[in-house]
Amino acid sequence: MNAPKARLFSHEVVPFFLSLALLGCAALLCDAALHLMDIVWVGRWLGIPGTLLILTSLGYSLRKRKLIQSGQPATLLRFHEYMAWAGSLLVLVHAGIHFNAILGWLAVWAMLINVASGLTGKFLLARSRRRLDEARQRMRDEGLTPAQLAERTYWDSLTFDAFKQWRSVHFPITLAFAVLALAHIIASLLFWSWK
């Protein structure tokens, strides 16, 4: 395997899969710990803080759409990533290995697809931005004028702009997850055993 391919694999592919694997392993370990301590009932309640963490993570999206003015976008993005991950972990532990609620499992799958979509966008966008910046710097070092630089990186810039449109794919996935999660919450409240 040559160096650029090895670098691509180790810097882009491995962190993506590690992020997903860490989420799955952490959920399994937490669920196993609840079972070992014979407090499985705690998992039933973890959906609430998990959902609240996911809702809290939406500050970045609100700032991006200029619905709120406070906060630095880069800081809010990191906060979004961490809170969404932690919330997803709690929701996965809440779901456990219990297959008795189809609506809940549809919401969990939509959440997992949403997490994978977010991680894909994060790594693809970072990679394309880095490659474009490296190409521009290399051409500046070769002494190209700004006009030549713009001409030579035209297609790369268009590709980067297309990658930035990834959010238009991530948003409908997020919306589907939100609708399924809300339906699950409403159904849970309607059919809750209030004893």
Side-chain angles (χ1 to χ4, degrees), residues 24 27-28 31 35 88-114 176-177 179-185 187-188:
L28 288 172
D31 194 53
H35 279 83
S88 297
L89 171 63
L90 293 179
V91 168
L92 284 173
V93 175
H94 165 72
I97 55 170
H98 315 287
F99 297 99
N100 57 352
I102 188 70
L103 188 55
W105 274 99
L106 288 173
V108 166
W109 280 107
M111 180 191 70
L112 290 173
I113 292 168
N114 193 35
F177 163 56
V179 167
L180 287 167
L182 184 61
H184 169 66
I185 291 166
S188 295

Side-chain angles (χ1 to χ4, degrees), residues 38-195:
D38 199 27
I39 53 172
V40 177
W41 61 270
V42 170
R44 183 175 191 185
W45 297 98
L46 290 179
I48 296 168
T51 301
L52 293 175
L53 285 173
I54 291 170
L55 288 173
T56 303
S57 79
L58 295 177
Y60 171 71
S61 299
L62 296 174
R63 177 73 166 98
K64 210 57 184 152
R65 288 169 180 74
K66 296 183 180 5
L67 296 173
I68 61 171
Q69 301 300 321
S70 62
Q72 295 296 322
T75 303
L76 288 173
L77 176 60
R78 294 292 157 252
F79 183 76
H80 170 74
E81 292 169 354
Y82 296 136
M83 292 298 105
W85 192 91
S88 297
L89 171 63
L90 293 179
V91 168
L92 284 173
V93 175
H94 165 72
I97 55 170
H98 315 287
F99 297 99
N100 57 352
I102 188 70
L103 188 55
W105 274 99
L106 288 173
V108 166
W109 280 107
M111 180 191 70
L112 290 173
I113 292 168
N114 193 35
V115 169
S117 165
L119 288 172
T120 300
K122 172 186 174 178
F123 287 109
L124 281 178
L125 199 55
R127 176 168 169 65
S128 59
R129 176 179 287 123
R130 193 169 43 253
R131 286 187 59 132
L132 184 58
D133 289 345
E134 287 171 359
R136 284 181 176 154
Q137 186 58 48
R138 195 172 45 253
M139 289 179 206
R140 277 190 208 101
D141 293 344
E142 292 172 5
L144 270 66
T145 66
Q148 292 171 318
L149 183 67
E151 183 180 327
R152 291 230 183 132
T153 60
Y154 175 76
W155 291 108
D156 289 338
S157 296
L158 284 180
T159 302
F160 178 67
D161 289 341
F163 275 134
K164 285 177 23 181
Q165 299 307 314
W166 146 85
R167 288 180 185 95
S168 63
V169 172
H170 187 58
F171 182 75
I173 294 170
T174 303
L175 187 60
F177 163 56
V179 167
L180 287 167
L182 184 61
H184 169 66
I185 291 166
I186 291 170
S188 295
L189 290 174
L190 288 174
F191 299 107
W192 189 278
S193 171
W194 293 99
K195 299 177 198 174

